[in-house]
Amino acid sequence: MKVVIVGGVAGGASADARIRRLDEDASIIIFERSGFISYANCGLPYYVGGVIRNKDELTLQTPESFKMRFNIDVRVRHEVISVNTHTKTVTVHNIDTDKTFEESYDKLVLAPGARPTVPDLPGIDNNRIFTLRSVEDTFKIKEFIERIHPRKAVVIGGGFIGLESAENLLSSGVEVTLIEYADHVLAQLDFDMACFVHSAVIKNGISLRLGTAVTGFTSRGSNVVVNTSDGSSVEADMVLLAVGVTPDTALAAKAGLKLGAKGSISVNEMMETSAADVYAVGDAVEITNFVTGLSSLVPLAGPANKQGRIAADNICGGHSVYKGAQGSSIIKVFDMTAAVTGLNENAAKRAGIPYEKIVISPLSHASYYPGGTVMTIKALYDRQNGKLIGAQIVGFDGVDKRIDVLATAIRAGMKITDLIDLDLAYAPPYSSAKDPVNMTGYVAENVLTGKVKQFHYDQLDVLPRDGSVFLMDTRTHGEYLRGHAEGFINIPVDDLRERIGEIPKGKPVYVMCQSGLRSYLACRILSQRGYDCYNFSGGYRFYDAVMKGRIQANHAYPCGMESDR
């Protein structure tokens, strides 16, 4: 059996190594148009910033190591320019010799990945505008920084690559402005959760401009001027374009393969395309969202590696299926961590899922053990069946392990209340006896069983201030004086029983505290005395972060806002 693989990064490299483990006699050829294979896409920004110092650490394998260990013929700087599915041949262009030849196959794996999205804007061809997708891109940016010593940079796009690049450029001594078209960074997060990230970005000295469209580029001397839709401009020594990726499927389209969303390659659960003996994996393919069952694109390394393995199993006579992805992802933003799995609110709405949400702010470990930090957990569940459908966490320590537990719970089809029963490891330096994941289940159970009713930050503005409802803040007087929501009257929870006569009966009572715990206790006291009480989900800490985020979404900030610890 002769297998040809087009693309030698995550999906392609995973497929070829697996094929060799299953079939020692197979003839395997990889064609990779860049000069590198099996490289760490996710590590590229950290080489720019000097966190990864040795460029050799970016490449997990080389053509020579693949040949030695797996007996695989790897040909870099070879671009496959056409596929003939009838004759089962590919046409290959050797970039170094400029010669073209044909190669036959019995099985073909397409793993072309995705290319950086480059909008058609005036001045986009300026040689000081960079993208970051390949090892060559990384070396080009690094060489530019070491040679030119830029003072100012503009990063366009607030996704994973944009944020990581902005942080690493800043650590290289470059003043950074980050421009994002949407009203918040990290589209995987909801606006409210992204507000914590905004504060971290601003606190560390990056000028953040949200809700701003770039309209084009001009030159001023050797510098690039970034022009925006509000009529302003930013001048910089360099620009990094990070506005997303587009499935690189021109080859598949030319071959007549069936395409899906955004021109992606349509595959079945065995990673087979519409052509016999042709498979496709990685960022270029359309897959199924595990939670919704709908078609989607998930350009992440984890799914690409899994898909490569599944394609290899099926090529070698097995029967493996890909069950979809839920988009679990995580990012370091300076000393903060943001993570997500499953659906956010926008995705749940698009899928037509009737959902409820809870927001909690637990400590990363036992409160009496030094060094605990606050994390914010937002969980979404299906109101009809109680299943957990999504989670977002922003914080410092322990975010990674909690998001992985919640990702596993979604994959297992667990109800949000099932989180209560998870037997999770506990010791004071690592967790609490009721882990934040358990607490997520407890809070949801209180809502589902009617022990507490809740309201959310996006309902605060529409609450009447005409006396028809009673708004109460149960924090201490000192906390209240340091900041409170408009119209909320301060009655500390410890004084509530003595001052309950100040709360009029017959009116709904909306209660807030710092994290949601004291206001929950107040609601339990009041509801057992006949009051119609609503607890604010997330607490004043969450409310304050979102209000700051609203301001940040409409203004440019160079620095100065603090993130909670």
Side-chain angles (χ1 to χ4, degrees):
M1 180 176 63
K2 182 179 181 181
V3 183
V4 169
I5 298 175
V6 181
V9 191
S14 175
D16 58 48
R18 176 68 171 174
I19 291 169
R20 174 57 73 225
R21 291 195 294 271
L22 297 175
D23 187 343
E24 181 63 21
D25 297 323
S27 172
I28 306 171
I29 304 174
I30 301 175
F31 293 116
E32 167 58 47
R33 66 185 163 199
S34 76
F36 301 87
I37 61 162
S38 190
Y39 56 82
N41 291 81
C42 301
L44 300 182
Y46 298 100
Y47 179 72
V48 172
V51 177
I52 298 173
R53 296 184 180 277
N54 185 349
K55 63 182 181 181
D56 292 337
E57 293 176 354
L58 294 173
T59 51
L60 307 177
Q61 295 281 355
T62 66
E64 294 75 21
S65 66
F66 253 87
K67 180 65 176 177
M68 183 177 298
R69 176 161 294 180
F70 299 110
N71 190 27
I72 292 173
D73 181 3
V74 179
R75 305 182 198 179
V76 295
R77 295 184 59 78
H78 280 66
E79 182 177 13
V80 175
I81 57 177
S82 67
V83 176
N84 189 322
T85 58
H86 301 292
T87 61
K88 301 183 77 169
T89 57
V90 297
T91 303
V92 187
H93 175 226
N94 184 324
I95 297 172
D96 291 330
T97 65
D98 199 30
K99 292 182 178 180
T100 300
F101 62 93
E102 284 192 350
E103 191 75 48
S104 64
Y105 67 84
D106 296 313
K107 304 286 185 179
L108 177 66
V109 179
L110 300 179
R115 62 182 184 277
T117 302
V118 180
D120 184 16
L121 294 173
I124 194 70
D125 57 350
N126 191 303
N127 62 8
R128 290 198 172 195
I129 299 176
F130 301 89
T131 58
L132 182 55
R133 183 68 180 175
S134 67
V135 174
E136 286 92 344
D137 292 338
T138 311
F139 292 165
K140 185 178 179 181
I141 295 170
K142 184 73 168 178
E143 186 274 333
F144 178 85
I145 292 172
E146 292 175 344
R147 178 171 53 87
I148 301 298
H149 302 291
R151 293 187 305 109
K152 296 183 178 181
V154 172
V155 175
I156 302 172
F160 291 107
I161 294 296
L163 282 173
E164 291 170 344
S165 297
E167 177 180 343
N168 280 279
L169 286 169
L170 189 73
S171 69
S172 299
V174 183
E175 183 181 324
V176 179
T177 297
L178 177 63
I179 300 176
E180 167 57 48
Y181 176 75
D183 64 357
H184 69 283
V185 300
L186 295 176
Q188 294 81 0
L189 297 177
D190 290 318
F191 173 83
D192 50 9
M193 296 295 284
C195 288
F196 292 99
V197 181
H198 298 168
S199 293
V201 167
I202 292 166
K203 170 193 169 185
N204 282 279
I206 291 175
S207 177
L208 180 62
R209 302 187 61 173
L210 298 167
T212 303
V214 173
T215 57
F217 308 91
T218 53
S219 298
R220 184 172 296 153
S222 60
N223 285 353
V224 184
V225 179
V226 183
N227 301 306
T228 64
S229 56
D230 60 9
S232 65
S233 62
V234 184
E235 184 175 346
D237 301 285
M238 63 178 292
V239 173
L240 180 63
L241 199 61
V243 296
V245 295
T246 302
D248 194 354
T249 56
L251 182 66
K254 185 178 177 182
L257 302 183
K258 182 182 176 182
L259 301 181
K262 296 183 179 180
S264 59
I265 305 171
S266 179
V267 294
N268 62 18
E269 63 182 3
M270 297 176 69
M271 309 313 298
E272 295 171 322
T273 70
S274 58
D277 297 319
V278 180
Y279 298 75
V281 301
D283 295 353
V285 305
E286 179 186 62
I287 61 171
T288 300
N289 183 290
F290 178 80
V291 180
T292 66
L294 302 175
S295 296
S296 64
L297 301 177
V298 183
L300 296 170
N305 275 277
K306 294 179 180 72
Q307 293 158 20
R309 180 185 176 96
I310 288 167
D313 286 350
N314 294 320
I315 286 170
C316 294
H319 183 79
S320 292
V321 298
Y322 187 64
K323 299 179 181 179
Q326 61 204 59
S328 300
S329 51
I330 191 166
I331 183 173
K332 182 185 89 68
V333 184
F334 297 98
D335 61 345
M336 178 177 277
T337 301
V340 62
T341 186
L343 307 183
N344 60 18
E345 289 196 62
N346 286 334
K349 290 173 183 175
R350 288 195 301 269
I353 298 175
Y355 69 92
E356 183 56 270
K357 58 188 175 184
I358 61 165
V359 180
I360 64 173
S361 300
L363 281 173
S364 57
H365 61 239
S367 59
Y368 59 85
Y369 188 88
T373 57
V374 177
M375 67 177 68
T376 300
I377 299 177
K378 180 177 183 178
L380 275 61
Y381 60 92
D382 189 321
R383 284 202 304 266
Q384 294 180 331
N385 57 29
K387 280 189 176 182
L388 181 67
I389 60 172
Q392 302 161 53
I393 310 178
V394 180
F396 301 90
D397 298 331
V399 169
D400 53 344
K401 73 173 183 177
R402 272 63 183 228
I403 202 68
D404 283 343
V405 173
L406 293 170
T408 304
I410 291 174
R411 181 63 57 157
M414 293 172 62
K415 295 182 178 181
I416 192 167
T417 50
D418 292 334
L419 301 177
I420 294 170
D421 300 319
L422 292 181
D423 191 358
L424 304 174
Y426 160 62
Y430 302 105
S431 183
S432 302
K434 293 178 182 176
D435 187 86
V437 171
N438 299 131
M439 287 304 303
T440 302
Y442 282 120
V443 173
E445 183 188 50
N446 286 335
V447 174
L448 285 165
T449 57
K451 292 184 178 67
V452 67
K453 292 184 284 188
Q454 58 180 356
F455 68 108
H456 302 285
Y457 87 91
D458 50 2
Q459 298 171 281
L460 272 173
D461 290 344
V462 298
L463 285 178
R465 263 71 173 182
D466 59 0
S468 59
V469 300
F470 189 78
L471 309 178
M472 182 171 67
D473 188 319
T474 60
R475 296 175 297 158
T476 66
H477 189 58
E479 289 175 302
Y480 180 82
L481 291 178
R482 287 193 290 272
H484 57 271
E486 178 190 355
F488 279 71
I489 297 169
N490 184 217
I491 301 179
V493 67
D494 292 338
D495 300 337
L496 178 58
R497 291 182 178 87
E498 289 72 27
R499 297 177 58 183
I500 201 165
E502 300 176 29
I503 305 172
K505 283 201 170 183
K507 295 181 180 181
V509 181
Y510 291 83
V511 190
M512 181 184 290
C513 72
Q514 187 68 11
S515 68
L517 175 58
R518 284 173 286 178
S519 52
Y520 163 67
L521 297 176
C523 273
R524 290 303 301 150
I525 293 170
L526 293 171
S527 63
Q528 292 179 75
R529 286 165 170 78
Y531 288 89
D532 183 20
C533 192
Y534 297 81
N535 183 32
F536 182 70
S537 179
Y540 180 80
R541 172 183 174 274
F542 184 66
Y543 164 81
D544 187 47
V546 176
M547 293 304 104
K548 286 178 180 177
R550 284 186 180 178
I551 296 171
Q552 293 159 7
N554 292 286
H555 297 82
Y557 283 90
C559 61
M561 289 193 142
E562 294 295 326
S563 55
D564 283 328
R565 276 295 206 171

